[in-house]
Amino acid sequence: MTIDSRAFRNALGCFATGITVVTTLCPDGHHVGVTVNSFSSVSLDPPLVLFSLGRASQAYDFFVEGKAFAVNILADGQEDLSNRFSRRDLQDRWDGVGVERWDTGVPILTGCLANIECDRETVYDGGDHAIVVGRVRKLRSTDAGKPLLYFRGSYGQLG
């Protein structure tokens, strides 16, 4: 049975997701970040999370070969960050973006609902994507605020 790609995307769009910006470093120390909504917890013991990244992404090699990354869970009202880090070019994404560094040195975005710093554990084949699994080494979250959501191709909010 052949699945129509547009119908597949439409069906998957019915699943509301949160939006993250996943960050890492280039070997030369430059910041790399991409908008990702394919993020999930994997395990509590050990603490593992995953995200999927398209093989066509210009940032692909930095994440699958890098030693660490951070998942920055966006808050309602951070659409600008989501849009900024979803652009094709990797340049100028960081202008004016608040960043701090923790243990691994990867950029941690400020003002997010949660930040999760990870060591890359493993990478699995996921068709036209790679599934990147990370072991959580440090995290921070806040009880204030609501998540930035994505549903049927648009941003959404909790009602």
Side-chain angles (χ1 to χ4, degrees), residues 88-153:
R88 281 241 182 254
D89 65 27
L90 296 178
Q91 303 301 318
D92 302 325
R93 291 181 179 196
W94 296 95
D95 293 345
V97 174
V99 171
E100 59 188 88
R101 295 184 190 282
W102 293 351
D103 298 345
T104 65
V106 300
I108 307 292
L109 303 183
T110 59
C112 295
L113 280 183
N115 308 91
I116 305 167
E117 185 179 43
C118 302
D119 294 316
R120 184 182 48 79
E121 183 85 0
T122 192
V123 178
Y124 294 104
D125 179 31
D128 61 359
H129 282 62
I131 301 164
V132 182
V133 178
R135 183 180 294 251
V136 177
R137 66 164 33 233
K138 189 172 183 177
L139 52 82
R140 169 179 66 203
S141 64
T142 179
D143 292 335
K146 294 182 179 180
L148 181 60
L149 299 177
Y150 201 68
F151 178 68
R152 290 190 172 153

Side-chain angles (χ1 to χ4, degrees), residues 10-39:
N10 289 344
L12 295 178
C14 292
F15 183 69
T17 64
I19 301 177
T20 70
V21 172
V22 183
T23 57
T24 193
L25 293 171
C26 295
D28 66 5
H30 282 89
H31 296 175
V32 176
V34 293
T35 299
V36 169
N37 69 340
S38 57
F39 165 73

Side-chain angles (χ1 to χ4, degrees), residues 55-68:
R55 294 183 188 281
S57 171
Q58 291 180 345
Y60 179 83
D61 290 338
F62 303 124
F63 285 101
V64 300
E65 295 172 8
K67 294 186 181 346

Side-chain angles (χ1 to χ4, degrees), residues 72-89:
N72 303 277
I73 299 174
L74 300 186
D76 186 22
Q78 290 185 307
E79 293 95 343
D80 60 323
L81 282 177
S82 174
N83 290 332
R84 176 186 292 236
F85 285 95
S86 67
R87 294 193 313 237
R88 281 241 182 254
D89 65 27

